[in-house]
Amino acid sequence: MQFNLNQEQLAFQKAARDFSAGELAPHAQEWDEKKLFPVKTIASAGALGFCSMYCDEKVGGLGLSRLDTVIILEELAAGCTSTAAFISIHNMASWMITQWGSDAIVKHWATALMSGEKLASYCLTEADSGSDAGNLRTSARADGEYYILNGAKAFISGAGATDVLVVMARTGSADDGPKGISAFVVPADAAGISYGKNEIKMGWNSQPTKTISFEDVRISAECLLGREGEGFKIAMQGLDGGRINIASCSIGAAQATLNHAKQYMQERRQFGQSIADFQALQFKLADMVTELVAARQMVRLAAFKLDNDDADKTTYCAMAKRFATDIGFRVCDEALQLHGGYGYLREYPIERFFRDARVHQILEGTNEIMRVITARRLLAEGGTEAIR
Ligand SMILES: Cc1cc2nc3c(=O)[nH]c(=O)nc-3n(C[C@H](O)[C@H](O)[C@H](O)COP(=O)(O)OP(=O)(O)OC[C@H]3O[C@@H](n4cnc5c(N)ncnc54)[C@H](O)[C@@H]3O)c2cc1C
């Protein structure tokens, strides 16, 4: 068993850390305040391969492992959590397109998606089906060489600013449940698509979130990912990786706030001494760093399971997502507390990390759903041996 990063991973980590410190961190506050989606910066990340991290080299991707990917995303998130999180969604959607897309689709989209010149959104959630995604109602009706899409998606990250949508839609009947769902690659400007207003959010302000409506949107049959009826499975396979990516974004945010808190405690004086000298606060720091290290290792373990196509990879990804996003948020919260009133001010970056990390407990499957996945496997036959 080897816990150290290898030379290559250390090099990726450094490249991501440098990019994050130079290109993300200095602008994160402005992007948050002005709600700017930094597409040019995302393309610069793409130039370093960060928009195609685990896409196959055959399609122009970087061909990294999931373990390499979480190391990079953690660093990006320490600069701007919201932008790193969008990059993670783009990577997930691009991977789905290149993994299951027809030759024509891959040829059409891959190069621009890998470079970050074009961006992708993942469209699963609907107003009435969030956690219960298998009950989604957006429909795709076959019509000769085409499919016709009708329905609406909610909460779509990047919507209105991305170029291509991975849309999960029903090709079967409502009674077919998840088995009646197929996945499609849809040009974001196809006739019949309209976008709602940019949602006003607590965090994740450097990326838009909108509803998307589909009214008789005609797309070529070549836009189908995999086969009819495989869409839900494809969506969930995308999310295995998506969940550990989002978990890494929480780790990155938490590490950044921990670093800020440590420095602040050493500088801030009260009662004639540095607040870092109060043992109660030292214990807090000790707990924060301990839990953060545990969460990071949990994410890396899940990434390892995914890389090795372990039979229980989905459960490990769910456990890691639940644990790391809960711990990540708690560390951000504690770091804010350690800053006293200053932690609450926009002048300091802590409250932004806190706001950005909060949503990670909700999206890509809520942490309650992560517990559903974990408990279901544990209680099934062989569960005790599978998860230990
Ligand atoms: C900023 C933001 C960006 C997003 N981006 C995207 C995106 O790009 N693409 C996309 O498809 N979606 C996206 N989402 C949607 C997100 O994935 C959903 O919000 C999430 O899956 C929860 O669905 P819901 O909001 O409908 O909550 P609900 O499913 O209505 O859940 C409400 C509450 O009930 C709990 N609950 C539900 N079912 C159970 C159960 N069986 N057992 C225990 N508790 C349960 C939930 O955990 C939650 O606490 C985004 C959401 C946000 C906020």
Side-chain angles (χ1 to χ4, degrees), residues 89 122-127 129-132 154-157 201 204 209 359 362-369 372:
I89 294 171
Y122 174 94
C123 310
L124 179 66
T125 306
E126 299 180 358
S129 70
S131 299
D132 189 11
F155 286 113
I156 303 307
S157 301
K201 310 190 291 286
W204 271 33
T209 307
V359 77
I362 298 171
L363 45 69
E364 306 221 346
T366 67
N367 283 4
E368 287 73 30
I369 295 304
V372 169

Side-chain angles (χ1 to χ4, degrees), residues 43-235:
S44 306
L48 295 173
F50 298 157
C51 285
S52 64
M53 288 183 270
Y54 50 97
C55 291
D56 207 302
E57 284 169 300
K58 277 191 294 209
V59 297
L62 213 51
L64 296 183
S65 68
R66 304 309 179 101
L67 183 53
D68 298 335
T69 302
V70 296
I71 293 164
I72 291 171
L73 278 169
E74 177 186 331
E75 296 300 331
L76 299 182
C80 178
T81 306
S82 165
T83 304
F86 179 77
I87 290 174
S88 98
I89 294 171
H90 170 81
N91 270 271
M92 170 174 70
S94 300
W95 176 74
M96 291 165 71
I97 292 170
T98 54
Q99 188 76 3
W100 283 285
S102 62
D103 289 347
I105 283 295
V106 172
K107 189 159 180 269
H108 185 79
W109 290 105
T111 307
L113 289 173
M114 302 299 102
S115 68
E117 181 200 327
K118 295 211 162 144
L119 299 174
S121 287
Y122 174 94
C123 310
L124 179 66
T125 306
E126 299 180 358
D128 293 327
S129 70
S131 299
D132 189 11
N135 265 325
L136 63 80
R137 283 200 227 143
T138 294
S139 66
R141 180 172 52 83
D143 181 21
E145 291 299 296
Y146 298 91
Y147 283 96
I148 315 286
L149 266 61
N150 279 289
K153 296 289 173 182
F155 286 113
I156 303 307
S157 301
T162 50
D163 304 280
V164 60
L165 312 172
V166 176
V167 180
M168 272 48 80
R170 190 163 290 287
T171 41
S173 75
D175 293 342
D176 295 331
K179 292 204 170 79
I181 295 171
S182 302
F184 298 92
V185 176
V186 182
D189 59 356
I193 295 185
S194 56
Y195 295 91
K197 67 170 177 40
N198 191 6
E199 304 287 3
I200 298 168
K201 310 190 291 286
M202 175 185 190
W204 271 33
N205 286 321
S206 78
Q207 48 167 312
T209 307
K210 296 184 180 180
T211 54
I212 307 182
S213 300
F214 302 89
E215 206 182 323
D216 290 330
V217 176
R218 180 178 286 267
I219 54 167
S220 151
E222 281 184 334
C223 296
L224 178 68
L225 290 180
R227 285 182 302 206
E228 267 195 26
E230 287 184 343
F232 196 71
K233 198 180 77 184
I234 291 172

